[in-house]
Amino acid sequence: MSDVTATKQSLVRLDDIRDAAARVSGLVVRTPLLPSPWAEDLWLKPESLQPIGAFKLRGATNALHRLDLEHRRAGVVTHSSGNHGQALAYAGRALGVPVTVVMPDVSTPLKIEATRGYGAEVILVPQSQREVVAKQLMAERGLTLIPPYDHPDIIAGQGTVGLEIFEDLSSVDVVVVPVGGGGLSSGVATAVKSLAPHVAVIGVEPALAADAAESLAAGMVRVWPEERMLSTIADGLRTALSELTLAHLSTYLDAIVTVSEEEILETVRTLARKARLIVEPSGAVATAAVLHHRDELPAGRTVAVISGGNIAPELAARLFGA
């Protein structure tokens, strides 16, 4: 059996996502679907309203619930630019699981301190070393690795966003979702396409970190140099796809759109001013595609997923100042 065939056979199913929804119920916020009268046919799914400020709580909670008691007691480790680390720390505190998070030393101080605040041990390393160090800790300490996106339990948990979108707006025509490592977009696309194959699911990423678009076009994971990925302000979207997330997106995603840094920042301002939502740059890319690239998207009732709201205070001051 080829690696590609094996990966295709391991795709998350709709039943996996429904099971995840039952596990996380009561532990994560069922975020509302907000109409946007200031933009035609647009609804917002604000995952920024989760307790840790991002959708990542869904996958982290589902993954920890799936561990047996022995592995829970031993603890878990992950690597994260911030939001997944916060989510795992928060879920670990709720479920009594010790958590260690390996974070890039370029992560925003807000995310580092928030992760520590939820009780996790945080280890800072260069961006390129985060996965290496996490795997070393797993071996040395007997921890279970809970990756930020490259795992069926994570993808299934994130897919609950797609379930909720369809439950709240069954007449939806287009769902637009950010793409970083691909966990959220894989889960949402799987849920939406399994429920309603006619609905278009569009991925969005920064033009300065458009490795997913390149990977989808090539049919294989393309990894961009670290210094190139660091050029985007959308720090949560600086990660390459995995074989597993590429397989999901190749199967379910209809298209991928890129947005500029200027469009991202303008959308952060717009969401604060018109939707009364505080959104980090990574969380704004889907809405940016709707506002600035409408001609590249299918027509109809559109839902944009806002993936997170953990904006750095200094950036917020610059964008929302006088």
Side-chain angles (χ1 to χ4, degrees):
M1 182 185 298
S2 69
D3 289 343
V4 173
T5 302
T7 303
K8 288 285 188 182
Q9 289 187 347
S10 63
L11 293 183
V12 167
R13 302 167 302 164
L14 180 60
D15 284 347
D16 299 320
I17 298 173
R18 284 176 167 151
D19 289 344
R23 290 187 198 100
V24 306
S25 178
L27 296 171
V28 305
V29 172
R30 191 191 190 288
T31 53
L33 203 58
L34 303 176
S36 303
W38 44 272
E40 185 178 0
D41 284 338
L42 174 64
W43 284 257
L44 302 173
K45 180 67 168 170
E47 286 296 292
S48 51
L49 300 181
Q50 291 294 345
I52 59 94
F55 73 95
K56 295 279 191 176
L57 188 57
R58 296 172 181 269
T61 302
N62 186 51
L64 289 187
H65 255 296
R66 295 269 290 159
L67 293 178
D68 60 32
L69 186 58
E70 179 181 353
H71 287 92
R72 288 194 194 189
R73 286 174 174 166
V76 300
V77 63
T78 194
H79 50 88
S80 167
S81 62
N83 284 340
H84 176 65
Q86 291 181 72
L88 200 64
Y90 184 96
R93 186 176 67 177
L95 298 173
V97 180
V99 174
T100 300
V101 182
V102 180
M103 298 181 70
D105 52 16
V106 295
S107 298
T108 62
L110 176 71
K111 293 181 179 181
I112 294 170
E113 292 309 312
T115 304
R116 286 181 173 141
Y118 294 130
E121 177 187 1
V122 174
I123 298 174
L124 300 176
V125 301
Q127 172 86 3
S128 61
Q129 293 297 303
R130 62 188 229 176
E131 292 188 45
V132 173
V133 173
K135 290 177 180 177
Q136 287 175 346
L137 291 170
M138 177 181 66
E140 293 169 2
R141 301 184 183 181
L143 306 175
T144 298
L145 179 65
I146 307 291
Y149 56 89
D150 188 27
H151 195 285
D153 291 342
I154 296 293
I155 293 172
Q158 320 305 25
T160 59
V161 172
L163 282 185
E164 293 175 10
I165 289 172
F166 196 76
E167 288 170 358
D168 289 349
L169 188 68
S170 60
S171 60
V172 62
D173 298 301
V174 186
V175 175
V176 190
V177 60
V179 181
L184 175 63
S185 48
S186 292
V188 169
T190 299
V192 171
K193 284 293 191 181
S194 298
L195 290 164
H198 65 279
V199 176
V201 182
I202 310 297
V204 187
E205 62 184 343
L208 294 182
D211 57 296
E214 187 175 304
S215 297
L216 286 164
M220 60 187 296
V221 174
R222 299 287 199 189
V223 180
W224 285 17
E226 176 187 347
E227 60 273 13
R228 189 175 182 186
M229 297 292 275
L230 288 174
S231 63
T232 179
I233 197 168
D235 63 300
L237 306 180
R238 294 170 178 165
T239 310
L241 299 179
S242 68
E243 295 290 345
L244 182 60
T245 56
L246 177 61
H248 282 83
L249 298 182
S250 297
T251 301
Y252 294 113
L253 201 67
D254 289 286
I256 192 161
V257 173
T258 61
V259 292
S260 71
E261 300 296 290
E262 294 76 13
E263 290 164 349
I264 294 170
L265 293 177
E266 180 56 35
T267 301
V268 171
R269 294 189 188 96
T270 298
L271 287 169
R273 186 173 67 253
K274 296 186 176 181
R276 311 310 192 267
L277 293 171
I278 301 302
V279 179
E280 64 188 281
S282 301
V285 298
T287 311
V290 177
L291 298 182
H292 297 279
H293 297 266
R294 202 42 153 145
D295 58 339
E296 298 178 43
L297 305 178
R301 299 176 184 87
T302 300
V303 173
V305 177
I306 294 174
S307 56
N310 295 313
I311 189 169
E314 58 273 16
L315 178 60
R318 175 159 64 90
L319 293 178
F320 308 142

